[in-house]
Amino acid sequence: MELQDTPEEWRVVATTTPFQGNKTSVRTDDVVMPDGTVARRDYQVHPGSVAVLALDDQDRVLLLKQYRHPVRQKLWEIPAGLLDVPGENPLHAAQRELYEEAHVKAEDWRVLTDVYTTPGGCDEAVRIFLARGLSEAEGERYEVSEEEADMELARVPLGELVRGVLAGELHNNCLVVGVLSLAAARAGGGVGELRPADAEWPARPFEA
């Protein structure tokens, strides 16, 4: 058995877009099942995202606390954002988000992991980067608005975050996946075996 996800596409006999938003939409597809029946599937169409687990020289992770209206909570998160332009290089997008949300730059970038956030109801793909060699970015801070205007920033030891994740105290998807992926990488062959920052990403192909 090959333990690897594989591309497959079942036939769609009808499709509609009942909702079109600013960044995402909702699509309804009538999909032919293996037994020949047709099933209706509703899902969110998403441009994709990037997230950054930024680790400083004291083994602390850079965090943001931000209000998330759908879940009615303020969540601790790692810097993240949408791939606003089709085909956008995810590394460039991640560097932009780290600058805009935390006014930080990093010297060393690697791909930590790639995930689908909710594959049963959304096609969002996220690439999570590990960024090290942190320093303050040059120039003026990016002007934030709406939920981002109320953000808190903190730097928290990685071990404390692992404990918080396993205790059910931290819930943001990218934070949870990023923190546990880094812990797993360290327990295995080390971060030196992580993929390079420009590794191909079939879920969201991009220009170099």
Side-chain angles (χ1 to χ4, degrees):
M1 180 183 68
E2 184 180 20
L3 193 61
Q4 181 175 335
D5 297 336
T6 54
E8 184 165 345
E9 189 167 349
W10 294 357
R11 187 163 63 96
V12 175
V13 294
T15 185
T16 60
T17 303
F19 171 77
Q20 179 66 57
N22 184 32
K23 297 291 186 180
T24 67
S25 61
V26 173
R27 183 176 297 165
T28 299
D29 288 344
D30 290 344
V31 185
V32 180
M33 300 287 113
D35 63 1
T37 61
V38 176
R40 180 157 290 178
R41 294 289 178 262
D42 302 316
Y43 59 99
Q44 183 184 22
V45 179
H46 194 285
S49 306
V50 291
V52 185
L53 195 150
L55 190 70
D56 70 14
D57 57 6
Q58 297 180 53
D59 212 40
R60 299 177 303 176
V61 177
L62 192 156
L63 298 183
L64 315 165
K65 194 172 190 181
Q66 184 172 351
Y67 176 66
R68 295 301 187 182
H69 186 69
V71 295
R72 305 313 198 262
Q73 291 192 41
K74 291 186 78 171
L75 302 179
W76 284 109
E77 306 179 351
I78 57 177
L82 298 177
L83 291 169
D84 294 319
V85 181
E88 182 177 15
N89 187 307
L91 174 59
H92 298 166
Q95 291 169 332
R96 179 188 69 233
E97 293 300 330
L98 186 60
Y99 164 74
E100 290 182 356
E101 295 192 343
H103 201 66
V104 166
K105 63 181 181 178
E107 294 297 323
D108 182 73
W109 291 81
R110 296 175 186 271
V111 174
L112 193 51
T113 192
D114 299 324
V115 294
Y116 290 115
T117 56
T118 319
C122 180
D123 71 351
E124 180 184 13
V126 179
R127 168 156 282 187
I128 304 176
F129 289 91
L130 171 65
R132 297 179 297 172
L134 307 185
S135 61
E136 191 80 2
E138 294 89 1
E140 295 183 5
R141 284 186 171 271
Y142 181 80
E143 187 174 344
V144 296
S145 61
E146 299 177 345
E147 292 96 341
E148 293 182 351
D150 189 46
M151 287 194 307
E152 302 173 45
L153 277 76
R155 297 193 181 201
V156 180
L158 179 67
E160 187 175 331
L161 293 178
V162 171
R163 184 207 61 77
V165 167
L166 298 180
E169 298 167 357
L170 301 169
H171 305 90
N172 174 264
N173 183 289
C174 292
L175 183 149
V176 170
V177 173
V179 163
L180 297 184
S181 293
L182 179 55
R186 287 181 165 181
V191 297
E193 294 190 0
L194 293 173
R195 288 171 291 161
D198 61 353
E200 67 175 54
W201 189 18
R204 293 294 184 274
F206 61 91
E207 298 292 331

